[in-house]
Amino acid sequence: PDPVFGMSEAWLLVDGEPVADAMVLSHPEQLARLREACPAAAHTAVLAGDPCFDRLLAARPYRERFRRALGLRAGQRLIVLNSTWNPASLFGDGGDDLLPSLLPRLTGELAADDHRLAAVLHPNIWHGHGPGQVRAWLERARRGGLALLDPLTEWRQALLAADLVIGDHGSVTYYAAALGTPVLLGAAPLDGLDPASPVADFVRTAPRLDPLRPLRPQLESAVDGHRPHPGPAALTTSVPGESAARLRALFHGLIGIPEPDAPALLDPLPLPDHTPPRRTTSLRVLTRLLGPYEVALRRYAEPSYDPEEPDGPEEPPAGTARGGRAGGCAPVQEHLAAHEDTADRGAVAAADVIFRDGAADDPRLGPPAAWCAEVLARHPQCALAAYVSAAGTCTVRVRGGGAFTLTADAWAADPAAHASALFACLSAGSSVERLIAHGLTVRTARARHRVTVTAADGGAATPG
């Protein structure tokens, strides 16, 4: 068999002697394999735990903070894609380029307001190909809302925030499984792994992602039917929470100086910068009226085929007619929404709803209501313009009508989605006056969001 990486004589001995005075292990099972692979170095082994995993465990109570830092909203699920550095990895070059082909499908098959996508790529991918090349390969997915995370400072926080990890045989995927997070393997090579190692066992038994089947049902099944894999949680470390003390004792003993009286501590994981998704692409928006002032909505970033219809109750509320058919299900309506900075200018020119985000006092754009008026004047096809100025707030102007402010909880759906829901209501015959009086309810797959509609400039006319 090939030498085991890190545990064979080729790695550990020089002229038959160990190269290191101490070899740190995190679990006794590693010692058993070390004794078999390189018995001459077994006496240097020290059981000292895993400081990386200890930092993850200590930061678990701050999961919701990490989710908010990544811009997660109510009802959204975070899917983290992870690739190690290897030709057979998820982002490898040993065959199919799975990750670049997978990302456009994920952004096209998963509703934007129901899912958040983030990618963690091994540092050697960045250094081997160059940051510019990596970003260029993933540019389309980034425009669709993908967060490309720093591989050194943010991957641990992303794992803690994740609802699902799509990965390979790398250590980040294994850490995710050790935390109890649902995992799907997009690449699962066994070559180069010690057959007796916990990682090899995990790769053999973990559930697989089938790229030839629809993705959304696989992801939802992996989350909803998740049963934690027992191996990673038990075998990542046998002394959780003890690595700092054990490592300090080892280091001071090797140096020959006494330890300080203060406790040995690990730095806590820092709170990342707030990085909400910024979708500078066209969005196909599917809506269904669930009542006079309630809309089910799903937005898809450049789907390559017809996406699924938005969810809705099987039966309408008593006494409510949908789509003009009492007792029936309201038909799904469709419109195109586009960020003003969408690269496809043809999509912007054809969009029913044009939106952008920025500070309300940005002097380059003018006040939000003025920007909306400018967009409607420049794009005759556009029926509604929306300027998102805060986490739960946007200003909209409807063609032939006035300017209005939509306000919701800061962690509700993207305000640009609220603007699309308003457009759907107005297109179905509702008036702004009634929406101002009753408010608007927007439903994404797993949450309902209450939106207040107020006149921003005294206008309250329906679209012309």
Side-chain angles (χ1 to χ4, degrees):
D2 293 332
V4 176
F5 179 84
M7 279 199 175
S8 63
E9 293 183 358
W11 294 95
L12 300 179
L13 303 181
V14 173
D15 297 329
E17 296 295 326
V19 297
D21 293 322
M23 182 175 181
V24 175
L25 306 179
S26 65
H27 196 281
E29 72 83 19
Q30 297 166 0
L31 178 57
R33 289 190 291 120
L34 176 63
R35 285 171 174 159
E36 181 176 349
C38 186
H43 69 279
T44 68
V46 178
L47 184 64
D50 185 330
C52 176
F53 194 58
D54 282 354
R55 294 179 77 198
L56 283 164
L57 295 176
R60 267 182 159 171
Y62 306 107
R63 167 180 162 85
E64 290 304 318
R65 292 185 186 178
F66 299 144
R67 290 174 66 82
R68 290 196 293 269
L70 285 167
L72 269 292
R73 297 178 179 272
Q76 278 190 312
R77 283 176 171 170
L78 173 63
I79 298 172
V80 173
L81 298 108
N82 165 247
S83 179
T84 190
W85 183 56
N86 186 285
S89 68
L90 192 66
F91 197 38
D93 58 2
D96 294 335
D97 246 349
L98 183 58
L99 184 60
S101 64
L102 189 63
L103 282 170
R105 288 187 57 201
L106 286 169
T107 55
E109 293 184 33
L110 302 180
D113 300 295
D114 304 342
H115 301 86
R116 176 82 160 106
L117 295 177
V120 176
L121 306 180
H122 193 283
N124 284 348
I125 294 176
W126 290 92
H127 293 298
H129 299 292
Q133 180 63 75
V134 171
R135 292 190 178 95
W137 279 330
L138 304 181
E139 177 62 19
R140 180 181 174 187
R142 293 173 65 214
R143 286 183 170 274
L146 172 75
L148 201 50
L149 301 181
D150 187 295
L152 298 179
T153 63
E154 297 176 339
W155 68 268
R156 299 173 186 85
Q157 296 89 326
L159 285 191
L160 290 166
D163 296 289
L164 174 70
V165 171
I166 299 175
D168 51 28
H169 59 301
S171 58
V172 173
T173 305
Y174 194 80
Y175 277 131
L179 290 169
T181 303
V183 169
L184 284 176
L185 296 183
L190 287 168
D191 293 343
L193 296 179
D194 178 1
S197 69
V199 174
D201 178 68
F202 172 68
V203 170
R204 282 191 294 265
T205 57
R208 304 286 201 274
L209 180 73
D210 185 347
L212 301 180
R213 293 171 47 214
L215 299 176
R216 181 185 166 194
Q218 295 184 69
L219 306 189
E220 291 186 346
S221 177
V223 174
D224 297 337
H226 175 57
R227 297 293 182 272
H229 193 296
L235 298 173
T236 296
T237 177
S238 61
V239 286
E242 298 182 22
S243 63
R246 287 173 176 253
L247 287 171
R248 191 177 73 175
L250 170 64
F251 299 153
H252 280 73
L254 290 173
I255 298 172
I257 60 175
E259 289 189 68
D261 293 331
L265 302 172
L266 298 172
D267 287 339
L269 295 182
L271 187 63
D273 292 336
H274 185 224
T275 54
R278 188 170 185 267
R279 296 183 179 88
T280 56
T281 187
S282 58
L283 297 167
R284 186 176 182 183
V285 186
L286 303 183
T287 61
R288 177 187 286 142
L289 257 62
L290 306 180
Y293 317 110
E294 183 172 357
V295 179
L297 174 146
R298 277 184 173 163
R299 302 185 301 164
Y300 296 87
E302 298 182 338
S304 56
Y305 56 87
D306 287 348
E308 298 180 31
E309 296 182 359
D311 290 336
E314 294 182 2
E315 296 295 334
T320 300
R322 294 183 179 169
R325 297 179 295 173
C329 187
V332 172
Q333 302 295 332
E334 176 183 338
H335 67 267
L336 180 67
H339 194 284
E340 187 185 30
D341 293 339
T342 298
D344 183 354
R345 304 314 297 168
V348 177
D352 303 288
V353 174
I354 297 176
F355 63 94
R356 77 162 303 116
D357 51 298
D361 59 353
D362 190 332
R364 301 169 299 172
L365 302 170
W371 175 88
C372 292
E374 178 186 331
V375 166
L376 292 176
R378 182 180 298 119
H379 300 284
Q381 175 68 23
C382 178
L384 184 149
Y387 188 105
V388 178
S389 57
T393 303
C394 70
T395 299
V396 302
R397 185 180 288 274
V398 296
R399 187 171 296 281
F404 308 90
T405 301
L406 307 183
T407 308
D409 183 88
W411 304 112
D414 179 0
H418 300 162
S420 277
L422 178 71
F423 172 75
C425 280
L426 297 177
S427 299
S430 294
S431 69
V432 174
E433 289 88 350
R434 291 200 295 269
L435 289 166
I436 289 175
H438 295 278
L440 175 65
T441 299
V442 180
R443 172 174 169 170
T444 56
R446 286 173 289 275
R448 277 184 168 89
H449 315 288
R450 182 68 175 170
V451 182
T452 301
V453 184
T454 56
D457 60 359
T462 55

